[in-house]
Amino acid sequence: MRALVAREVGEPNDVLRLESRPVPTAEAGQALIRVKATPTHASDLHVLRGRYGFSPKFPTAGGHMECVGCIEALGSDTEGLKIGERVVALAIPAVPGPRVAGTW
């Protein structure tokens, strides 16, 4: 898959690069989403600049807030979702739960 990746904190124009990355696998209780669209929030830009309430582990794919897409795969013990279903994923860092790998 392709992803916009930052390897360090900095201005988005300076640190973001388009890279090829392996497609992740859905682990137990997780869904893999084929992203169709994702916004660019001012918050996402401030995360990359190191000016937000959390800092991701670098390198990181940008986009840490939300996306829309279709479920591509389900991990074991994942309930209530179907492959091919359209979804909105809210990956807001203030919400408890596992961190999202990035939506860009």
Side-chain angles (χ1 to χ4, degrees):
M1 69 178 193
R2 293 179 305 163
L4 280 174
V5 177
R7 299 209 166 269
E8 61 188 352
V9 172
E11 282 299 314
N13 284 342
D14 297 332
V15 298
L16 284 172
R17 299 289 179 264
L18 186 61
E19 295 184 2
S20 291
R21 297 188 121 189
V23 175
T25 57
E27 297 181 12
Q30 294 181 336
L32 177 66
I33 300 170
R34 179 178 291 273
V35 175
K36 300 291 184 180
T38 184
T40 302
H41 289 284
S43 303
D44 291 317
L45 302 177
H46 286 305
V47 166
L48 295 172
R49 292 175 178 129
R51 298 186 207 150
Y52 202 68
F54 79 99
S55 181
K57 183 178 175 185
F58 289 90
T60 186
H64 293 277
M65 303 299 161
E66 63 192 345
C67 70
V68 296
C70 293
I71 296 177
E72 182 86 2
L74 295 171
S76 62
D77 300 323
T78 304
E79 299 177 352
L81 300 170
K82 296 184 298 188
I83 292 176
E85 186 174 22
R86 291 183 295 175
V87 293
V88 173
L90 297 175
I92 301 169
V95 174
R99 295 282 185 247
V100 169
T103 60
W104 293 353

